[in-house]
Each structure stands twice: as structure tokens, then as C-alpha cells.
Amino acid sequence: MATPTMMAVTLLTRAIEYDVVGRKLEALKLYEDGIESLLKESKAETDPKRKQHYQTKIVEYMNRAEQVKELVTRWKSKGVISDRIHIVEGATGYSYGRIFGKYFNDEVHEILLEEPYVREHHQICNLVMFCELAVNSCRNLKYIQLATVKEAKNGDEQGRAFEVLKQSLHKQAVKFVVEYSEHMHDRQVILSNGYVIKIGRGLNYFKPSPSKYCLGAFNYHFRECRETNVDVFYCPENNKS
């Protein structure tokens, strides 16, 4: 069985590998997990020299993790407008394929989805549909990170749904990670090929289907939409493929 030290070394080694090849989102998560393991080891260590060694390495990795975090933060704010779509109330023809399709390509290795509202059944279904398109379109996709708000009343059901999706994506060699935040409002999709897609209503711009037997019940090209804006930004510096 791996010791906590071995686990930390494994996590941080992978973090460095992914950092070097440009998989910054996954590298950041690995840095954070590895640092947490080292902190636990440092607190439990009684030998002064080993304790000092742990603390030195922790500072080193924390500094690099902070640099990667700042880089990811810049991804969200840099770039020039590439496309803008205004979806009017009741419009059809705006499936995820139309909104994201031309940006989902082989250069996408990582996706960061910031979507506060993934609580209700239809919202989770929208997330699954988004992931299906991403996996089908991005042949080199390795990592999807969802930043969302934890459901206070029915968090167990939300967590179970995410776990099922995680296992399903794992079968496609895609890692799925959920990060909870209580203070998020922005809705955007950040792709590692340099594109950032910001949608006013996030993934949840579809109206409910009036019947499960009408067009749009399953093919969202025919589903009516709520009014919203889609802004697409591109920054070549963000392209880490």
C-alpha cells in the first residue's frame, strides 16, 4: 500500500509532467492534491531535518501552483472577441453543436466549465449532453473540470449524478473533476485551444419541451431557447496544444 509520502510524490510528479506539456488545469489540481498530502506528512513528521525538507518542497510547489493558477485566471480575461450570437426568445437551431461545435477540435485537451447551476435534473442532463459533444468532437480530450455550486438541500443526489458521469467519462479516458464554490456567478467554458465561450444563461438556455413526443424532446436543434447572448473570445497565448 502506498504511503502518504509516495502518494504525494506520485501526484506532484504527474503535476510537473502535465504542467510541462501544457495541461495546466489538471496540473493545478494535482499540485493542490500533492501539496495537501505533503502538508499532512509535514505535520506528522517529528524529525527536524525531514520536516524542514517537507516545508521547503511545499513552498516550492505552492509557488509553482500559484503561477499556474494565475495563468488560468488570465485565460478568462484575455483575448479578443471572435464571435457574438444573440439568441432571441423562442428561437430554435441553437443546439450545443451549433454553439460549441466549431471550437471543439483535436487541439482541445482540457475544458474548464464554470456553471453555477447544475442542480436540477434537466441541468444535470444538459451537463451530460455537453460532455457527450466534447468527448465526441475533441479526440485528444483528457480532462473536464466543472466549477459549480453545491446543492444545499439535495446534495447527495447531485453528488451521485456527478459520480456516475465521472465513471462514464473515465471509460472514455477523460478525467472529470468537480470543484464547488459558494460565490460564483459567471458562466463560461474555457478551452485549452485558446477559446473562451461566455453564455449569459450558461448551459441552461433551453426551454422545457412541451411534450416528450414533439421535435426537440431529444434533438435540441429543434428545442426552443430562452433569450441570451453568446460571446466567444480567442487568445492565441492560451492555446497550449
Side-chain angles (χ1 to χ4, degrees), residues 124-140:
I124 296 173
C125 288
N126 287 343
L127 170 63
V128 173
M129 185 165 57
F130 173 86
C131 290
E132 288 175 339
L133 177 65
V135 172
N136 191 53
S137 304
C138 308
R139 293 185 298 178
N140 296 314

Side-chain angles (χ1 to χ4, degrees), residues 196-221:
V196 178
I197 301 101
K198 300 186 178 185
I199 307 176
R201 292 182 178 271
L203 295 183
N204 306 310
Y205 59 85
F206 296 110
K207 289 186 174 184
S209 177
S211 169
K212 61 182 178 181
Y213 303 117
C214 67
L215 295 181
F218 301 100
N219 187 337
Y220 277 48
H221 172 78

Side-chain angles (χ1 to χ4, degrees), residues 122-208:
H122 73 278
Q123 295 170 341
I124 296 173
C125 288
N126 287 343
L127 170 63
V128 173
M129 185 165 57
F130 173 86
C131 290
E132 288 175 339
L133 177 65
V135 172
N136 191 53
S137 304
C138 308
R139 293 185 298 178
N140 296 314
L141 182 63
K142 299 298 182 185
Y143 185 81
I144 298 175
Q145 180 175 321
L146 168 67
T148 191
V149 176
K150 188 175 182 63
E151 171 59 57
K153 296 181 180 179
N154 203 11
D156 290 344
E157 183 174 344
Q158 182 192 44
R160 285 193 295 269
F162 289 159
E163 183 61 29
V164 172
L165 179 56
K166 177 181 178 180
Q167 296 303 322
S168 182
L169 285 166
H170 178 72
K171 293 178 181 178
Q172 302 298 322
V174 177
K175 186 174 182 180
F176 179 67
V177 172
V178 179
E179 295 284 342
Y180 293 107
S181 173
E182 299 303 319
H183 306 289
M184 64 176 301
H185 301 284
D186 292 340
R187 301 168 175 87
Q188 57 189 353
V189 177
I190 301 170
L191 308 178
S192 61
N193 62 358
Y195 285 99
V196 178
I197 301 101
K198 300 186 178 185
I199 307 176
R201 292 182 178 271
L203 295 183
N204 306 310
Y205 59 85
F206 296 110
K207 289 186 174 184

Side-chain angles (χ1 to χ4, degrees), residues 67-116:
Q67 291 174 352
V68 175
K69 188 174 183 179
E70 290 176 359
L71 175 63
V72 173
T73 300
R74 289 201 300 272
W75 288 0
K76 305 176 186 181
S77 58
K78 296 180 66 175
V80 296
I81 190 75
S82 173
D83 195 10
R84 176 169 289 163
I85 302 171
H86 176 66
I87 302 176
V88 300
E89 185 74 15
T92 60
Y94 292 97
S95 67
Y96 290 160
R98 177 170 178 183
I99 299 299
F100 300 108
K102 62 182 177 181
Y103 309 110
F104 280 3
N105 55 39
D106 293 351
E107 294 183 345
V108 177
H109 300 96
E110 298 181 308
I111 297 175
L112 171 58
L113 169 61
E114 296 185 341
E115 174 56 73

Side-chain angles (χ1 to χ4, degrees), residues 4-20 26-39 54 57-62 64-65:
T5 301
M6 292 172 59
M7 184 177 298
V9 170
T10 299
L11 290 170
L12 292 167
T13 299
R14 288 172 59 199
I16 294 170
E17 291 174 355
Y18 290 165
D19 192 353
V20 170
E26 192 165 3
L28 179 58
K29 177 63 176 173
L30 289 167
Y31 277 129
E32 291 172 345
D33 291 345
I35 290 168
E36 183 178 354
S37 294
L38 276 185
L39 282 169
Y54 283 137
K57 300 304 291 184
I58 287 169
V59 171
E60 176 184 329
Y61 289 121
M62 286 182 69
R64 181 53 192 164

